[in-house]
Amino acid sequence: MRMLEVKNVSKFFGGLTAVNNVSLKVQKGEIFGLIGPNGAGKTTFFNMLTGIYSPNNGEIVLEDTMIQKLKPFQIARLGVSRTFQNIRLLGNETVAENVKIGMFRKTKSGLISAIMNSKSQQKEEKFVEEKVKQTLMEVGLEKYMDLNAGNLSYGNQRKVEIARALVSDPKLILLDEPCAGMNDTEVEEINFLVKRIRDNGTTVIIIEHNVPMLVVLCDNMAVLNHGEKIADGSPEKVTSDSAVVNAYIGSEEEEVI
Amino acid sequence: AEKSEGKEGSKDSKKNNQDAIKIGWFGPLTGPTSTDGQISLNASQLAVDQINENGGINGQKVEIISVDDQGKPQEAAKGVQKLMNSDKVAAVISGAYSGPTLAAASLVQKAGVPMIVSYAKHPEATKGGDYVSRMIYTSDVQAKALADYAVNDEELKTFAIVYMNIDYGIESQVALEKEISELGGNVLVSKSFNMGDTDFNSALSAVKEKKPDALFVVAYYNEGASIVSQARQMGLESRIIGIDGLDAPKYLELAGEHAEGTVISTSFYKADEREIVQNFVKAYKEKFNTELSITASQSYDAVLAIKDAIERSSTDREDIAKAINSTKDLEGTSGSITIDENHEVVKPIVFMKVENGEFKYLHSKTY
Amino acid sequence: MLTIKNLNVFYNQIHAVKDLNLELNKGEIVTLMGSNGAGKSSSLNAISGLIKFSGSILFNGDEINKLSPDQIVKKGIVMVPEGRRIFPKLTVLENLLLGAYTRNVTNNIKAKELEEIFELFPRLEERKRQLGGTMSGGEQQMLAIGRALMGKPKVLMLDEPSMGLAPIVVKDIYETIKKIKGQGLTILLVEQNAKKALSVADRAYVIENGQIKYHDEARNLLEQDVIQKAYLGG
Amino acid sequence: MIVEQLINGIALGFVYVLIALGLTMVYGVLKVLHFAHGVIYMVGAFSAMVGILYLNLSFIPALIFALVISGLVGVGIEKYAYRPLKDVHPITVLISGVGIAILLQNLFQIIFTSDSHAFPKTNIKVHSIDIFGIASLTNIKLYMIIIGLIVLAVLYLFLNFTKMGIAIQAVSQDRKAAALMGINVNRIVMVTFLLGSMLAALAGIITALNYNSLSPAMGDIPGLKAFCVVVLGGLGSIPGTVLGGLILGIAEALSTGYLEGMPIDTNAIAFILLVAILLIKPSGLFGKNIEKV
Amino acid sequence: MSLLDFINPYYIDILIFLVINILLGLGLNLTTGFAGQVSLGHAAFYGIGAYTSAILSANYGVNVWISMLIAVVVTFLLGALLGLPSLRLRDDFLAITTLGLGLVAHSFFNNSQLTGGAYGINSIPAPLFFGIEVENVGYLLFVVLALIAAIYIMRKITRSRIGRAWVTIREDETVAQSMGINTMYYKVLAFAIGAAFAGVAGALFAHKIYFVNADSFTFTTSATILSMIVIGGLGSIRGTLLGVTLLYTIPELFHIFDVGNLLNLNYLDNYKMILYGLLMVLVMRYSPKGLIDIKNIKTKKINPAVKSGDQNVGS
Ligand SMILES: Nc1ncnc2c1ncn2[C@@H]1O[C@H](COP(=O)(O)OP(=O)(O)OP(=O)(O)O)[C@@H](O)[C@H]1O
Ligand SMILES: Nc1ncnc2c1ncn2[C@@H]1O[C@H](COP(=O)(O)OP(=O)(O)OP(=O)(O)O)[C@@H](O)[C@H]1O
Ligand SMILES: [Mg+2]
Ligand SMILES: [Mg+2]
């Protein structure tokens, strides 16, 4: 079953082609890996999926909805959430407040009910608090709930980001280098978390430079290079592709250690 | 003892004279227009000091209580409340521009406290009741005088007007256009500017192109001096005729040689040989060591009018108001002062011309 | 060469580095490892004079605690900061020349030094007129290292040079680090990627919650169980 | 008349350019909207007056004296009102600047009263120059344009071909990295304030000389317009600032010269223009706003 | 001073203008402090509110209560309209653009026929309550009621989901969008509500002072209000109450106690302004988050979890 289908999508910045005519398909319930050298266009690709950039041409279909012309908040409301390559938390707000923001798309109270402090608004707030607590427990951050997010370590901040994306039970979650700057043990934890997210029924697309990790984790992968897709398919197939090895992985993987 | 008290001014007279007659004053003491405010206050203070030296009003001392309106209506409103209610003044003098004066006017009318507007010209100021009257002629009267002078006396035909974009400026510009065309003259171009502007080249280029016989400068001295200087520098040779806003020593200082030949209308001139004027000029110079201007004369006369009114009635506010409204032929520094049924002043308008860096008296006439 | 004694760093209420002691000998590569937020960058920033700290830092026996960042650079301690921080609107060449900002040398010498850098990173020569901000992540990292080398440092500090880079680029960078070491520089390397770091380092310090937990020869640490578990994923 | 109005506009534009250049440079290194800049313009004019009137200097030494004083005032403002504010919301710095502006302006009002003063007599005689009979302008206006061009050329050379200039650029782009290159950031910021303040003072002196008038409030409107110019050009962009200043000067001259009966006045033209341009180009004429996500 | 002095209309006036300023400050704090949309042109909305109610009641004879209501609606709508640039512009660009809009509005007030140009609007009626003019103490009661309502509404909104959306937009717009927040809607809403507060303040001002002209709605007004709320503390209702009250009252005390005459100062008001400027610089320096944060200068809150160093789950 198709979760996402991208057809011939391109993005130009001035004279620069960041993403060039890329097509790919992601199935429901899979973990899909996206790799490629620096500047290959991976993050740009995510930005198009989430509406932050609109593609210069091509189509993006989420389940049955064309989303390439939608605004970011509209796409988010369709159930797509994401994390950012450079952590973007509200540093002066508590961890709980940060995660609450993730629930925004699931709530509705407007100006009038805010002023009236209506029943429905109170109920909604309660629901949000519970959901936030539950999600923080899932990522193991419940004890930091009331700390300012900016005071957490880098790794924990990444987890708050993931929690924020996760809290609203998205259909599709996009993770942009969730393991950057983490050591191998921390990587393992994220690994485990991603699997659990998938097992709860959310489709995952993940960008990472940690190839060994992705090989184990992903059901399918695609490789971008200079904005073009140069390979896709199963992890084994992709990582043994000679173009991929030349452009990205390098040939003598074992030598360094 | 009396004498030293007078010299000290109001600073500590408050303690000494519990039953002094209090006159409130408000005007700008800070902000860009504070020079006018300061001059106005000085002159009013001087008048009060002189009155006290000569035994007060009906034997009672007089005291000025001042508040700064910063040139803002809101501050004037608060200030006048303070004067009326905390200080319980018998009458108020506006040493302020139009905005603050108007804000204060509606309050004094409501509270029934007499007020004399010393130099603000907003037409509405005196219209809300019987408590506000004005020491300065209105823009309409001045425009009539200026048009008469230019078209009838000097036989000039074509004109340009550069006017400041405030009520006084607009009022004057509209009245000038009307009066001039009624007398058969022709206003070729009118350009407005904002208070605080320094560059008038664009407006003056437009004037120069039309080559008018005379340029009316409807401005206060700061901008007026710049306008006249820039006009001359760019080679505009028309006659320059100005309103009373130019009547200040600063105008001569700022415009320098370019001021030569400017004709202005005003209500006061220093060289007037009447004793009251000469006394005033001398005392002002002694006390404050600065040059005085029309603003000073207006504010001085405002105090005189209040004194005159109290002498003719009582210290009751309503009585004073009535008495002010019936002022007739009171001798002030700006001539013989009468207040008409519209609470406006009737007094002669003076024409002066700048010659050798000084204002020279031409003639005067009552309109 | 560089001796750090009882280094403490506070960010308001956060005690980020606690009584850190560290020693750097001439010509060696020392790596400072530790998980996220352990205090690695804070330590380097303190040495560079970028942040306030307490404790003492000796360089060739002289105290440099009180010096400002520019004075420390003049002493010969240069850092390649986390996230590269090249000047995005200056060209590659201008970026490199800024590396030599503190040194009063003739243009001829500078040109010669540039040649050396270009030998190390041929890619930079190809792109020398390009604006720094338009380079890819890996290229920017090369530029950052090249720029630091233009300062002719005696001690080079590298903060996570491999972060967010493609594996192939990481390899390149580590090749370079080895080459630089060959030229006799003293290097303090901060890395998350413990395997990589230990593969080039002579000695290693492991920092946890702002404190040094272990300190040993690199090859010894590689084998230790605790290290394996905490940093090498098993 | 159109030629004359264009020249009026260009001369006026160069005054805006001079004030705005300093503002742009300061924005570059500190990323703050320096609200006390307009006051420096005023300080410059008054210092020149004091130099001539009370120190009996002739014009050029008085000019230099004024530039030095204003430069120092600028440096002082940075040191005491801006530098202590690190890692705070930019609006905090802005308010501090507003505070300094209020303080200095009132100080000058106490010393010099709020009135206008004539600029002291100098041996520079104002006269008008005829250009082929199609326009005329005063010699000072011509100087204004020439000085503007010279300043621009010098500034361009300084920023692009001197070590200090490149260092200023480096600090504008990344303070921390600049420090790591061995650049003494505080000193660079200081130099920038010094230069920027001198430019503003120069504009103030030329204006006071040309219009033979100076007052403590003289910097208010030009200061605000300089902000407009800086933003119009794309904050921190020098070519943008130059273009923005000239556009503004010309727009004002033409609107005063040709428009009648508008429901707004000349001073508002600047901002109408600003809003219009920003709505088309949200980061100003020369601004780049690449937000990398 | 006797008790009677305190119901002196002068003191009542001081309080009324204080409350009006607080209302202004609250509105700006909502737009700038809570939603992060820096506005240097708040006086425009103050003016629009004042002129709308003034023109309707003085020139068209509309009942004052109704004209005030209309003024609030008009400022709300114009606030939304003038907030539109915030959709395209950020931070400093927005700050200067709003500064510009403020000056354009001032220029409009001062030149347009509609607003009486430089003459302003005169003879604005006071509101009537069962046929009696609401003045002095009555008016004070009325403005205080308006203030209480405003504070209540502001608290409720800022603590709701809308407040959360604003904070997110303030801190990171991209994140806000990605979390499903319609940033356009909420930014415009922040401007509109902030403007409506200013509209209330403006209308109250007009019917208090009976005369409006452009002088009351200058850049200085905007800058002063902004200073007051920043000095009080952005994003804090109590901060606004504190900041406005303090900065408003200090100069007033100079007048009440006639300091100028006591100290024999000629330029008293300049000294007052110097003090004011100095205060701004010092507060920003020693308590950059405003006076409301002043307790944090000495006693930094110590967070036990952090202090114990137990912060790395990973290790
Ligand atoms: N807003 C933008 N404006 C101009 N160029 C951009 C913009 N965003 C991205 N680019 C350029 O597009 C190209 C692709 O960038 P992108 O961030 O998508 O790479 P990436 O694959 O995520 O790389 P990395 O692994 O380093 O994160 C790069 O050359 C980048 O500089
Ligand atoms: N500017 C700052 N303000 C407040 N806390 C900070 C700041 N910088 C760092 N910290 C905190 O100090 C601690 C150490 O941070 P540091 O950046 O030195 O860690 P690190 O070892 O370099 O981590 P990483 O591997 O993630 O780069 C962390 O808890 C971090 O949250
Ligand atoms: Mg990326
Ligand atoms: Mg680090």
Side-chain angles (χ1 to χ4, degrees), chain A residues 150-155 157 181, chain C residues 11-12 14 16-17 34-43 82 159-160 163 190 192 207, chain E residues 311:
Chain A
N151 291 350
L152 261 53
S153 76
Y154 192 86
Q157 290 195 16
Chain C
Y11 297 103
N12 295 328
I14 300 169
V17 178
S35 49
N36 289 296
K40 305 180 296 292
S41 303
S42 304
S43 306
E82 197 168 11
D159 197 350
E160 304 211 26
M163 182 161 153
V190 162
Q192 279 287 349
I207 179 172
Chain E
Q311 52 176 353

Side-chain angles (χ1 to χ4, degrees), chain C residues 2 29 37 46 55 78 117 129 141 143 154 162-163 176 180 188:
Chain C
L2 192 68
I29 299 187
V78 177
I117 303 290
R129 308 254 165 244
Q141 187 66 51
L143 178 55
K154 302 189 177 95
S162 71
M163 182 161 153
T176 313
I180 302 171
L188 180 57

Side-chain angles (χ1 to χ4, degrees), chain A residues 38 154 181 183 185-186 248-249, chain C residues 36 164 166 168 171 192 229-230:
Chain A
N38 299 108
Y154 192 86
N183 66 44
T185 305
E186 291 164 330
Y248 183 59
I249 302 173
Chain C
N36 289 296
I168 193 167
K171 266 180 233 164
Q192 279 287 349
K229 237 168 121 192

Side-chain angles (χ1 to χ4, degrees), chain D residues 200-214:
Chain D
L202 184 63
I205 297 166
I206 297 179
T207 308
L209 179 70
N210 186 39
Y211 303 132
N212 187 32
S213 139
L214 60 166

Side-chain angles (χ1 to χ4, degrees), chain B residues 23-50:
Chain B
I23 298 177
W25 177 98
F26 70 93
L29 296 174
T30 47
T33 54
S34 60
T35 310
D36 283 325
Q38 196 64 53
I39 290 176
S40 163
L41 179 58
N42 286 348
S44 299
Q45 185 68 58
L46 177 68
V48 165
D49 291 351
Q50 289 179 341

Side-chain angles (χ1 to χ4, degrees), chain A residues 13 16 18 38-44 53 85 177 209, chain D residues 290 292:
Chain A
F13 293 111
L16 182 117
N38 299 108
K42 305 180 294 295
T43 300
T44 305
Y53 298 153
Q85 183 171 2
E177 300 200 26
H209 287 302
Chain D
I290 319 160
K292 231 183 144 251

Side-chain angles (χ1 to χ4, degrees), chain C residues 78-133:
Chain C
V78 177
M79 170 159 97
V80 178
E82 197 168 11
R84 316 185 261 276
R85 308 191 85 136
I86 48 101
F87 300 108
K89 288 180 200 161
L90 294 181
T91 62
V92 168
L93 199 61
E94 284 169 326
N95 263 285
L96 287 172
L97 287 174
L98 266 176
Y101 182 80
T102 54
R103 296 170 47 238
N104 276 319
V105 291
T106 62
N107 286 341
N108 272 343
I109 301 184
K110 271 191 203 154
K112 209 141 114 229
E113 288 169 1
L114 275 175
E115 282 306 311
E116 290 167 24
I117 303 290
F118 289 150
E119 224 166 274
L120 213 53
F121 303 111
R123 176 65 69 86
L124 296 185
E125 184 162 24
E126 290 164 28
R127 304 288 183 90
K128 66 184 169 192
R129 308 254 165 244
Q130 191 173 336
L131 291 189

